Amino acid sequence: MEAYKSDKSLDHLNKALFFPDPGLTCKRTVLGRDCKDQNCRAVHDETSLNCLLNVLRFAKHTLDVCVYMITCSVLGNALVECQERDVKIRVITEIRNSGEEGEVIGSQIGKLRNAGISVRCSSSSFWMHHKFLVADNEILVNGSFNWTNQAVMGNYENLIITSEETLVQPFITEFQRLWDHLGPTGVAEE
């Protein structure tokens, strides 16, 4: 991941991340800056959340996000920042967690839509339970991790980040299959 952070090299990337993080990451650290506040009690080391944010931060063209739930505002804000950098973002999520079928505390889906991010929701009797993202059709992030504060700070979760084409490609195909299935003529909204 260090190579990805410093020179954005995607030649060979494999990293395992584990949650919960040891504490809240300093906002300056999240933004890639040094924290000079001697009273700051936040974590300044690389955390699993920081590694995930780096994948978003270094995306140049596309982000396809397929996750069961997004309530972590740090991740929601990072997606909005990517949108502001003209990264094309598509999100697939479960309608039960989108805020559309009642109140889901902290759902980020409304924020994403308001920022112009395309979101499609699954509403079948079976849950859309995937948890993966593909960045620039080159990087796969996949694991048990829901995009929630509980997953960052409480749950025992995992993510694998890889640039292995034989792993990335099936997820590109699966995302497109679901995206087409949930197309604008169905339940989905763009």
Side-chain angles (χ1 to χ4, degrees):
M1 193 66 174
E2 288 302 318
Y4 187 55
K5 283 174 57 179
S6 60
D7 68 9
K8 303 176 187 83
S9 171
L10 303 178
D11 293 341
H12 187 73
L13 174 66
N14 286 308
K15 179 139 181 118
L17 304 178
F18 297 97
F19 294 87
D21 273 348
L24 292 174
T25 304
C26 173
K27 289 184 181 183
R28 290 175 196 88
T29 302
V30 167
L31 296 172
R33 300 183 193 139
D34 289 331
C35 179
K36 308 240 188 275
D37 182 355
Q38 294 178 358
N39 296 319
C40 182
R41 299 193 190 286
V43 176
H44 296 92
D45 298 327
E46 182 176 78
T47 63
S48 294
L49 178 60
N50 256 354
C51 290
L52 175 57
L53 289 168
N54 280 337
V55 172
L56 301 177
R57 186 177 293 128
F58 292 130
K60 296 176 185 169
H61 307 290
T62 62
L63 281 169
D64 288 336
V65 179
C66 188
V67 293
Y68 174 71
M69 177 183 287
I70 305 175
T71 59
C72 178
S73 62
V74 171
L75 291 168
N77 291 340
L79 288 174
V80 170
E81 289 169 14
C82 290
Q83 174 78 3
E84 291 169 352
R85 289 189 291 111
D86 293 324
V87 174
K88 180 183 176 193
I89 303 171
R90 301 184 298 174
V91 174
I92 296 173
T93 193
E94 172 61 41
I95 197 165
R96 293 167 187 91
N97 299 318
S98 68
E100 292 180 18
E101 286 196 340
E103 200 57 37
V104 174
I105 296 173
S107 177
Q108 298 293 296
I109 299 304
K111 176 196 298 184
L112 301 180
R113 284 190 166 133
N114 288 340
I117 295 172
S118 297
V119 177
R120 294 186 180 178
C121 296
S122 175
S123 66
S124 79
S125 58
F126 299 102
W127 291 15
M128 198 302 299
H129 210 245
H130 282 308
K131 298 161 187 82
F132 70 88
L133 80 83
V134 177
D136 295 328
N137 289 327
E138 296 176 341
I139 301 292
L140 168 67
V141 179
N142 181 52
S144 67
F145 182 79
N146 284 309
W147 289 27
T148 66
N149 292 326
Q150 182 68 26
V152 174
M153 296 301 301
N155 296 348
Y156 294 101
E157 305 275 2
N158 68 80
L159 286 173
I160 299 281
I161 301 175
T162 185
S163 61
E164 296 288 333
E165 186 177 350
T166 58
L167 296 174
V168 177
Q169 190 57 51
F171 282 89
I172 293 170
T173 301
E174 175 64 0
F175 187 93
Q176 192 61 51
R177 183 190 72 77
L178 287 171
W179 189 257
D180 293 343
H181 175 72
L182 299 171
T185 58
V187 178
E189 177 183 325
E190 286 196 285

